[in-house]
Amino acid sequence: MFGGVSSGGYDPTIWYEIVGDGRILVHVTRAEMGQHIGTALARVVAEELEANWDHVEVVHVDTDPRWGVMITGGSWSVHKSFDQLSRAGAAGRIALLEAGARMLGAPLNECVARDSEVRHGTRAVSYATIVSSGRVTRQFTEEDLKAITLKPASERRFLNRDTVARDVPSKVNGTAVYGIDRKVDGMVFARPVLPPTRYGNSILSWDDTAARKLPGYLRTVEIVDPTKTCQGWLIAVAESWPIAAKAADLIEVRYKSDGGAASDAQMLAEGARLVEEPNAGGVFYQEGDPLTRIAGAGAGEVHEGTYRTHSALHMPLEPLNALAWQDGNTWRVHAGNQWQSVTLPLVAKALGIDQANLVFETSYLGGGFGRRLYCEYIVPAALTAQMMSRPVKLIFARSDDTKFDQPRSPTVQRVRSVTNETGALLAYDHACASGWPTDSISPELLAPSLDGQGKIDLFAINSADHWYDTESQRIRAIRNALVHATLLPGYLRSVSSGYTTWAVETHIDELAHKLGRDPAEYRLALLGGTGRNGGVAPHAVGGANRLRAVLQRVMEKAEWSGREALPPGRGMGLALGTGQEREMPTWIATVAQVFVDVSSGAVTVEKLTSVVDAGTLAHPDGALAQVEGSMLWGLSLALFEGTEYENGLPRDLNLDTYTPLRMTDVPELDIEFLRNDHMPVGLGEPGVISIAPAIGNAIFAAVGARVRDLPIRPEAVRAAMGA
């Protein structure tokens, strides 16, 4: 359910309301994009409220300021909301118990709440009756909520138990409303005419003579944007989207362009230069003095690797779109949106209005993957609606969507390490040069570097500070300015963990082979779980010992001990992951089994086995779907996806040449959760990160070819084999 909030019921906190007919309306601020987040968060409330699940409904709310910061990303939704919603549910249970006990004339300590009822022996009064009576009015302060003692895990009846997601029926029967589905009276359609690069463009002249011959074409709007989001944009407007789409292709434009027009090769070359500079960037984490240890190492004692990733696009099934219109003194926007709190002030600035007069409505997202975190595409929709004085739905064609994407930046990482004769890590130095999404999108969230050399983007370096025992280490994040001059680097599902883990887990595997150690056994030896790696309660309790547990279990499931018996051309590779932040790690271990065609270098992934520890699962079926989807996304990024920027634009603009994973390439998946009652952590992203290094390590096990670039192309495998 989408929309406003009911009234006339009982709402002990803002997070839900119980109405007189017994329905429990849970207010969800997180975006639904296939992860069934409404169901998961409603289960958290229902658990402590002791609700009847059939009475619970999910309401996705708009951008009323009372909801606070609204963001759906970083695998934060359940993790960040769990304590808050648990306490909200418990508050309602307490208040209803008190009122119900009075209505039953029974001692409070003899009453229990169950299944949306307050019970005393054989007598009961329903939550609906209590609320309808008006006898429950207790409100809770923040201090009251903090003082509540939550149920012990042994008494839980919802969490860690399966249910059917509430959004499934509407998605199956076609009633679910996505951004592209929304309509309002008087609406017209629009498509952008995009300049040759994202930045530095202005229009010298334009001609819509050919477009004016199309029936239903209305006009072309030249965007004047005070936020500088749209630099050299035109918008073709028509009575229908097919006509707007055709008109956009017919408009002739002359541009003056002085923006960046770099290629992937140039951005990667700049990254390679930056990681060699000893003082570039800022320190994300440091322990001891690894540089002195590395400088004093003898010949052959330093192991060094350079690991690269090319640009990767989002390609959501639902292309970018936004509907904007003025409703009295209020401007309204309907669009799929993952981070309303950062986009809303941008759009208000573009329109020249007070932020209080702008409301974002919520819809389902037909794919987010991080692209809809920063919805700058709402700006041209709103400005066009303002100039047209009527509602405008702006829809991007697939090629427009691709040109205006916020891709995962090309990255270069240099890792150097020194071990002793037993394999212990004495020094580890990791430098990563990339675009910084936060710097472009929300720079106030940049963090001070530990060496005082300015600020860094944590989301461009997370997970580089691994959980392996290391005597000394330094992790550096370096901003690649050429990336920022060329494109707007964005958050792409798994964010930095998708490339930092690629470097970490490939490098650790290389060390194991250099030392003549079994890659799994070597990792186990490095997972001591002491000191910093012991973890911090409540979310990272157990630390590296939990990573050790998923590793040991995946070795059993994948029959790691039998890998030497695989026939020629086949191999198993292993990788661990803890995406995305140390304060909320999700522990994952993956074994990939691959076949490599030695004549062509083509890689076929035959099986992926993953074991995951995400703590308490609010919605186990949704958790499984999340991991399945993220593992396939990781496989797609490892072998199939990826483009290269040429003259400031991606080479591949549509799904004919940008080729994500196809159904015929889906391997056997074997996924297991280690069930426990620890605090829940994230599941939207972590499944991605261990896939690529597991595949790369399996390729080495199969044919002795060490690949260090993503995506892994057949020609690179052949080159690594010396073919």
Side-chain angles (χ1 to χ4, degrees), residues 10-13 16-18 24 45-51 84-100 113 116-118 127 130-131 136-140 145 148 150:
Y10 172 59
D11 51 349
T13 77
Y16 65 95
E17 178 185 15
I18 306 172
I24 300 164
V45 171
E47 180 66 77
E48 289 289 341
L49 183 60
E50 293 289 2
Q84 180 183 62
L85 295 183
S86 294
R87 294 184 183 280
R93 181 187 76 241
I94 291 168
L96 289 160
L97 270 168
E98 292 171 348
S116 290
E117 292 181 338
V118 173
Y127 287 0
I130 298 171
V131 170
V136 55
T137 57
R138 180 174 175 181
Q139 294 297 305
F140 293 79
L145 292 171
I148 290 173
L150 301 178

CSV table of all heavy atoms in Angstrom, one decimal, residues 10-13 16-18 24 45-51 84-100 113 116-118 127 130-131 136-140 145 148 150:
chain,number,residue,atom,x,y,z
A,10,TYR,N,-4.7,4.0,17.0
A,10,TYR,CA,-3.7,4.2,18.1
A,10,TYR,C,-2.3,4.0,17.5
A,10,TYR,O,-2.0,3.0,16.8
A,10,TYR,CB,-3.9,3.1,19.2
A,10,TYR,CG,-2.8,3.1,20.2
A,10,TYR,CD1,-2.6,4.3,21.0
A,10,TYR,CD2,-2.1,2.0,20.5
A,10,TYR,CE1,-1.5,4.3,21.9
A,10,TYR,CE2,-1.0,2.0,21.4
A,10,TYR,CZ,-0.8,3.2,22.1
A,10,TYR,OH,0.3,3.2,23.0
A,11,ASP,N,-1.5,5.0,17.7
A,11,ASP,CA,-0.1,5.0,17.2
A,11,ASP,C,0.8,5.3,18.3
A,11,ASP,O,1.1,6.5,18.6
A,11,ASP,CB,0.1,5.9,16.0
A,11,ASP,CG,-0.4,7.3,16.3
A,11,ASP,OD1,-1.1,7.5,17.3
A,11,ASP,OD2,-0.1,8.2,15.5
A,12,PRO,N,1.4,4.3,19.0
A,12,PRO,CA,2.3,4.5,20.1
A,12,PRO,C,3.6,5.2,19.7
A,12,PRO,O,4.2,5.9,20.5
A,12,PRO,CB,2.6,3.2,20.7
A,12,PRO,CG,2.3,2.2,19.6
A,12,PRO,CD,1.2,2.9,18.8
A,13,THR,N,4.0,5.0,18.4
A,13,THR,CA,5.1,5.7,17.8
A,13,THR,C,4.7,6.0,16.4
A,13,THR,O,3.6,5.6,15.9
A,13,THR,CB,6.4,4.9,17.8
A,13,THR,OG1,6.3,3.9,16.7
A,13,THR,CG2,6.6,4.2,19.1
A,16,TYR,N,3.9,2.9,13.2
A,16,TYR,CA,2.8,2.1,12.8
A,16,TYR,C,1.5,2.6,13.5
A,16,TYR,O,1.6,3.4,14.5
A,16,TYR,CB,2.9,0.6,13.1
A,16,TYR,CG,3.1,0.2,14.6
A,16,TYR,CD1,2.0,-0.1,15.4
A,16,TYR,CD2,4.3,0.3,15.2
A,16,TYR,CE1,2.1,-0.4,16.7
A,16,TYR,CE2,4.4,0.0,16.6
A,16,TYR,CZ,3.3,-0.3,17.3
A,16,TYR,OH,3.4,-0.6,18.7
A,17,GLU,N,0.4,2.2,13.1
A,17,GLU,CA,-0.9,2.6,13.7
A,17,GLU,C,-1.8,1.3,13.7
A,17,GLU,O,-1.8,0.6,12.7
A,17,GLU,CB,-1.5,3.7,12.8
A,17,GLU,CG,-2.9,4.1,13.3
A,17,GLU,CD,-3.5,5.2,12.4
A,17,GLU,OE1,-3.0,5.3,11.3
A,17,GLU,OE2,-4.5,5.8,12.8
A,18,ILE,N,-2.5,1.2,14.8
A,18,ILE,CA,-3.6,0.2,14.8
A,18,ILE,C,-4.9,0.9,14.7
A,18,ILE,O,-5.2,1.7,15.5
A,18,ILE,CB,-3.5,-0.6,16.2
A,18,ILE,CG1,-2.1,-1.2,16.4
A,18,ILE,CG2,-4.5,-1.8,16.2
A,18,ILE,CD1,-1.8,-1.8,17.7
A,24,ILE,N,-3.2,-3.4,11.3
A,24,ILE,CA,-2.0,-2.8,11.8
A,24,ILE,C,-1.2,-2.2,10.6
A,24,ILE,O,-0.7,-3.0,9.8
A,24,ILE,CB,-1.2,-3.8,12.6
A,24,ILE,CG1,-2.0,-4.3,13.8
A,24,ILE,CG2,0.1,-3.2,13.1
A,24,ILE,CD1,-1.5,-5.6,14.4
A,45,VAL,N,8.3,-5.3,13.5
A,45,VAL,CA,7.2,-4.7,14.3
A,45,VAL,C,6.3,-5.8,14.9
A,45,VAL,O,6.0,-5.8,16.1
A,45,VAL,CB,6.4,-3.7,13.5
A,45,VAL,CG1,5.2,-3.2,14.3
A,45,VAL,CG2,7.3,-2.5,13.1
A,46,ALA,N,5.8,-6.7,14.0
A,46,ALA,CA,4.8,-7.7,14.5
A,46,ALA,C,5.4,-8.6,15.6
A,46,ALA,O,4.7,-9.0,16.4
A,46,ALA,CB,4.4,-8.5,13.3
A,47,GLU,N,6.7,-8.8,15.5
A,47,GLU,CA,7.3,-9.7,16.5
A,47,GLU,C,7.1,-9.2,17.9
A,47,GLU,O,6.6,-9.9,18.8
A,47,GLU,CB,8.8,-9.9,16.2
A,47,GLU,CG,9.6,-10.8,17.1
A,47,GLU,CD,9.1,-12.2,17.1
A,47,GLU,OE1,9.5,-12.9,16.1
A,47,GLU,OE2,8.4,-12.6,18.0
A,48,GLU,N,7.5,-7.9,18.1
A,48,GLU,CA,7.4,-7.4,19.5
A,48,GLU,C,6.0,-7.0,19.8
A,48,GLU,O,5.6,-7.0,21.0
A,48,GLU,CB,8.4,-6.2,19.6
A,48,GLU,CG,9.8,-6.6,19.6
A,48,GLU,CD,10.3,-7.3,20.9
A,48,GLU,OE1,9.5,-7.2,21.9
A,48,GLU,OE2,11.3,-7.9,20.9
A,49,LEU,N,5.2,-6.6,18.8
A,49,LEU,CA,3.8,-6.2,19.1
A,49,LEU,C,2.9,-7.4,19.4
A,49,LEU,O,1.9,-7.3,19.9
A,49,LEU,CB,3.3,-5.5,17.8
A,49,LEU,CG,1.9,-4.9,17.9
A,49,LEU,CD1,1.7,-3.9,19.0
A,49,LEU,CD2,1.5,-4.3,16.6
A,50,GLU,N,3.4,-8.6,19.1
A,50,GLU,CA,2.6,-9.9,19.2
A,50,GLU,C,1.4,-9.8,18.4
A,50,GLU,O,0.2,-10.0,18.9
A,50,GLU,CB,2.3,-10.1,20.7
A,50,GLU,CG,3.5,-10.5,21.6
A,50,GLU,CD,4.1,-11.9,21.3
A,50,GLU,OE1,3.6,-12.6,20.4
A,50,GLU,OE2,5.1,-12.3,21.9
A,51,ALA,N,1.6,-9.4,17.1
A,51,ALA,CA,0.4,-9.2,16.2
A,51,ALA,C,0.0,-10.5,15.5
A,51,ALA,O,0.8,-11.4,15.4
A,51,ALA,CB,0.8,-8.1,15.2
A,84,GLN,N,15.0,0.1,16.4
A,84,GLN,CA,14.0,1.1,16.4
A,84,GLN,C,12.6,0.5,16.3
A,84,GLN,O,11.7,0.8,17.1
A,84,GLN,CB,14.3,2.1,15.3
A,84,GLN,CG,13.3,3.3,15.2
A,84,GLN,CD,13.7,4.1,14.0
A,84,GLN,OE1,13.6,3.7,12.8
A,84,GLN,NE2,14.0,5.4,14.2
A,85,LEU,N,12.4,-0.3,15.3
A,85,LEU,CA,11.1,-0.9,15.0
A,85,LEU,C,10.8,-2.0,16.1
A,85,LEU,O,9.6,-2.1,16.4
A,85,LEU,CB,11.1,-1.5,13.7
A,85,LEU,CG,11.2,-0.6,12.5
A,85,LEU,CD1,11.0,-1.3,11.2
A,85,LEU,CD2,10.1,0.5,12.6
A,86,SER,N,11.8,-2.7,16.6
A,86,SER,CA,11.5,-3.6,17.7
A,86,SER,C,11.0,-2.9,18.9
A,86,SER,O,10.0,-3.3,19.5
A,86,SER,CB,12.8,-4.4,18.1
A,86,SER,OG,13.2,-5.2,17.0
A,87,ARG,N,11.6,-1.8,19.3
A,87,ARG,CA,11.1,-1.0,20.4
A,87,ARG,C,9.7,-0.4,20.2
A,87,ARG,O,8.9,-0.3,21.1
A,87,ARG,CB,12.1,0.1,20.8
A,87,ARG,CG,13.4,-0.6,21.3
A,87,ARG,CD,14.5,0.4,21.7
A,87,ARG,NE,15.7,-0.3,22.1
A,87,ARG,CZ,15.8,-1.0,23.3
A,87,ARG,NH1,14.9,-0.9,24.2
A,87,ARG,NH2,16.9,-1.6,23.5
A,88,ALA,N,9.5,0.0,18.9
A,88,ALA,CA,8.2,0.6,18.6
A,88,ALA,C,7.1,-0.5,18.8
A,88,ALA,O,6.0,-0.3,19.3
A,88,ALA,CB,8.2,1.1,17.2
A,89,GLY,N,7.4,-1.7,18.3
A,89,GLY,CA,6.4,-2.8,18.5
A,89,GLY,C,6.2,-3.2,19.9
A,89,GLY,O,5.1,-3.4,20.4
A,90,ALA,N,7.3,-3.2,20.7
A,90,ALA,CA,7.2,-3.5,22.1
A,90,ALA,C,6.4,-2.4,22.9
A,90,ALA,O,5.6,-2.8,23.8
A,90,ALA,CB,8.6,-3.6,22.7
A,91,ALA,N,6.5,-1.2,22.5
A,91,ALA,CA,5.8,-0.1,23.1
A,91,ALA,C,4.3,-0.3,22.9
A,91,ALA,O,3.5,-0.2,23.9
A,91,ALA,CB,6.2,1.2,22.5
A,92,GLY,N,3.9,-0.7,21.7
A,92,GLY,CA,2.5,-1.0,21.5
A,92,GLY,C,2.0,-2.1,22.3
A,92,GLY,O,0.9,-2.1,22.9
A,93,ARG,N,2.8,-3.2,22.4
A,93,ARG,CA,2.4,-4.3,23.2
A,93,ARG,C,2.2,-4.0,24.7
A,93,ARG,O,1.2,-4.4,25.3
A,93,ARG,CB,3.5,-5.4,23.1
A,93,ARG,CG,3.1,-6.7,23.9
A,93,ARG,CD,4.3,-7.7,23.9
A,93,ARG,NE,5.3,-7.3,24.8
A,93,ARG,CZ,6.6,-7.0,24.5
A,93,ARG,NH1,6.9,-7.1,23.2
A,93,ARG,NH2,7.4,-6.7,25.4
A,94,ILE,N,3.1,-3.2,25.2
A,94,ILE,CA,3.0,-2.8,26.6
A,94,ILE,C,1.7,-2.0,26.8
A,94,ILE,O,1.0,-2.2,27.8
A,94,ILE,CB,4.3,-1.9,27.0
A,94,ILE,CG1,5.5,-2.9,27.0
A,94,ILE,CG2,4.1,-1.2,28.3
A,94,ILE,CD1,6.8,-2.1,27.1
A,95,ALA,N,1.5,-1.0,26.0
A,95,ALA,CA,0.3,-0.1,26.1
A,95,ALA,C,-1.0,-0.9,26.0
A,95,ALA,O,-2.0,-0.7,26.7
A,95,ALA,CB,0.3,1.0,25.1
A,96,LEU,N,-1.0,-1.8,25.0
A,96,LEU,CA,-2.3,-2.6,24.8
A,96,LEU,C,-2.5,-3.6,26.0
A,96,LEU,O,-3.6,-3.9,26.4
A,96,LEU,CB,-2.1,-3.4,23.5
A,96,LEU,CG,-2.3,-2.5,22.2
A,96,LEU,CD1,-1.7,-3.2,21.0
A,96,LEU,CD2,-3.7,-2.1,22.0
A,97,LEU,N,-1.4,-4.2,26.5
A,97,LEU,CA,-1.5,-5.0,27.7
A,97,LEU,C,-2.1,-4.3,28.9
A,97,LEU,O,-3.0,-4.8,29.6
A,97,LEU,CB,-0.1,-5.6,28.0
A,97,LEU,CG,0.3,-6.9,27.4
A,97,LEU,CD1,1.7,-7.2,27.6
A,97,LEU,CD2,-0.6,-8.1,27.9
A,98,GLU,N,-1.6,-3.1,29.1
A,98,GLU,CA,-2.1,-2.3,30.2
A,98,GLU,C,-3.6,-2.0,30.0
A,98,GLU,O,-4.4,-2.2,31.0
A,98,GLU,CB,-1.3,-1.0,30.3
A,98,GLU,CG,0.1,-1.2,30.7
A,98,GLU,CD,0.9,0.1,30.6
A,98,GLU,OE1,0.4,1.1,30.0
A,98,GLU,OE2,2.1,0.1,31.1
A,99,ALA,N,-4.0,-1.5,28.8
A,99,ALA,CA,-5.4,-1.2,28.6
A,99,ALA,C,-6.3,-2.5,28.6
A,99,ALA,O,-7.4,-2.5,29.1
A,99,ALA,CB,-5.5,-0.5,27.3
A,100,GLY,N,-5.7,-3.5,28.0
A,100,GLY,CA,-6.5,-4.8,28.0
A,100,GLY,C,-6.7,-5.4,29.3
A,100,GLY,O,-7.8,-5.9,29.6
A,113,ALA,N,0.1,-11.0,25.8
A,113,ALA,CA,-0.3,-10.5,24.5
A,113,ALA,C,0.1,-11.6,23.5
A,113,ALA,O,1.2,-12.1,23.4
A,113,ALA,CB,0.4,-9.2,24.1
A,116,SER,N,-2.6,-10.6,18.3
A,116,SER,CA,-3.4,-9.4,18.3
A,116,SER,C,-4.5,-9.5,19.4
A,116,SER,O,-5.6,-8.9,19.2
A,116,SER,CB,-4.0,-9.1,17.0
A,116,SER,OG,-3.0,-8.7,16.0
A,117,GLU,N,-4.3,-10.1,20.5
A,117,GLU,CA,-5.2,-10.2,21.6
A,117,GLU,C,-4.4,-10.0,22.9
A,117,GLU,O,-3.3,-10.4,23.0
A,117,GLU,CB,-5.9,-11.5,21.7
A,117,GLU,CG,-6.9,-11.7,20.5
A,117,GLU,CD,-7.6,-13.1,20.7
A,117,GLU,OE1,-7.1,-14.0,21.4
A,117,GLU,OE2,-8.7,-13.2,20.1
A,118,VAL,N,-5.1,-9.5,23.9
A,118,VAL,CA,-4.7,-9.5,25.3
A,118,VAL,C,-5.5,-10.6,26.0
A,118,VAL,O,-6.7,-10.6,26.0
A,118,VAL,CB,-4.8,-8.2,26.0
A,118,VAL,CG1,-4.5,-8.3,27.5
A,118,VAL,CG2,-4.0,-7.1,25.4
A,127,TYR,N,-7.0,-6.5,20.0
A,127,TYR,CA,-6.5,-5.2,19.8
A,127,TYR,C,-7.5,-4.3,19.2
A,127,TYR,O,-7.6,-3.1,19.6
A,127,TYR,CB,-5.2,-5.3,18.9
A,127,TYR,CG,-4.0,-5.9,19.6
A,127,TYR,CD1,-4.0,-6.4,20.9
A,127,TYR,CD2,-2.8,-6.0,18.8
A,127,TYR,CE1,-2.8,-6.9,21.4
A,127,TYR,CE2,-1.6,-6.5,19.4
A,127,TYR,CZ,-1.7,-7.0,20.7
A,127,TYR,OH,-0.5,-7.5,21.3
A,130,ILE,N,-9.8,-3.0,21.9
A,130,ILE,CA,-9.1,-2.1,22.8
A,130,ILE,C,-9.0,-0.7,22.1
A,130,ILE,O,-9.3,0.3,22.7
A,130,ILE,CB,-7.7,-2.6,23.2
A,130,ILE,CG1,-7.9,-4.0,23.9
A,130,ILE,CG2,-7.0,-1.6,24.0
A,130,ILE,CD1,-6.6,-4.7,24.2
A,131,VAL,N,-8.5,-0.7,20.9
A,131,VAL,CA,-8.4,0.6,20.2
A,131,VAL,C,-9.7,1.3,19.9
A,131,VAL,O,-9.8,2.5,20.2
A,131,VAL,CB,-7.6,0.3,18.8
A,131,VAL,CG1,-7.6,1.6,18.0
A,131,VAL,CG2,-6.2,-0.1,19.1
A,136,VAL,N,-6.8,3.1,25.1
A,136,VAL,CA,-5.4,3.0,25.1
A,136,VAL,C,-4.9,4.3,24.5
A,136,VAL,O,-5.2,4.6,23.3
A,136,VAL,CB,-4.9,1.8,24.2
A,136,VAL,CG1,-5.5,1.8,22.8
A,136,VAL,CG2,-3.4,1.7,24.1
A,137,THR,N,-4.2,5.0,25.3
A,137,THR,CA,-3.7,6.4,24.9
A,137,THR,C,-2.2,6.6,25.2
A,137,THR,O,-1.7,7.7,24.9
A,137,THR,CB,-4.5,7.5,25.6
A,137,THR,OG1,-4.4,7.3,27.0
A,137,THR,CG2,-6.0,7.4,25.1
A,138,ARG,N,-1.6,5.6,25.8
A,138,ARG,CA,-0.2,5.9,26.3
A,138,ARG,C,0.7,6.2,25.1
A,138,ARG,O,0.7,5.5,24.1
A,138,ARG,CB,0.3,4.7,27.0
A,138,ARG,CG,1.7,4.8,27.6
A,138,ARG,CD,2.2,3.7,28.4
A,138,ARG,NE,3.5,3.9,28.8
A,138,ARG,CZ,4.2,3.0,29.6
A,138,ARG,NH1,3.6,1.9,30.0
A,138,ARG,NH2,5.5,3.2,29.9
A,139,GLN,N,1.5,7.2,25.3
A,139,GLN,CA,2.5,7.6,24.4
A,139,GLN,C,3.9,7.4,25.0
A,139,GLN,O,4.1,7.4,26.2
A,139,GLN,CB,2.4,9.0,23.9
A,139,GLN,CG,1.1,9.3,23.1
A,139,GLN,CD,1.0,8.5,21.8
A,139,GLN,OE1,2.0,8.6,21.0
A,139,GLN,NE2,0.0,7.7,21.6
A,140,PHE,N,4.9,7.3,24.2
A,140,PHE,CA,6.3,6.9,24.6
A,140,PHE,C,7.3,8.0,24.2
A,140,PHE,O,7.3,8.3,23.0
A,140,PHE,CB,6.7,5.5,24.1
A,140,PHE,CG,5.9,4.4,24.6
A,140,PHE,CD1,4.6,4.1,24.2
A,140,PHE,CD2,6.4,3.6,25.7
A,140,PHE,CE1,3.8,3.1,24.7
A,140,PHE,CE2,5.6,2.6,26.2
A,140,PHE,CZ,4.4,2.3,25.7
A,145,LEU,N,11.3,4.6,25.2
A,145,LEU,CA,11.6,3.5,24.2
A,145,LEU,C,12.9,2.9,24.5
A,145,LEU,O,13.1,1.6,24.4
A,145,LEU,CB,11.6,4.1,22.8
A,145,LEU,CG,10.2,4.5,22.3
A,145,LEU,CD1,10.3,5.3,21.0
A,145,LEU,CD2,9.3,3.3,22.1
A,148,ILE,N,12.9,0.2,27.3
A,148,ILE,CA,12.1,-1.1,27.1
A,148,ILE,C,13.1,-2.3,27.0
A,148,ILE,O,14.1,-2.2,26.3
A,148,ILE,CB,11.2,-1.0,25.8
A,148,ILE,CG1,10.1,0.0,26.1
A,148,ILE,CG2,10.7,-2.4,25.5
A,148,ILE,CD1,9.3,0.3,24.8
A,150,LEU,N,13.5,-5.8,25.4
A,150,LEU,CA,12.9,-6.6,24.3
A,150,LEU,C,12.8,-8.1,24.7
A,150,LEU,O,13.4,-8.5,25.6
A,150,LEU,CB,13.7,-6.4,23.0
A,150,LEU,CG,13.9,-5.0,22.5
A,150,LEU,CD1,14.7,-4.9,21.3
A,150,LEU,CD2,12.5,-4.4,22.2
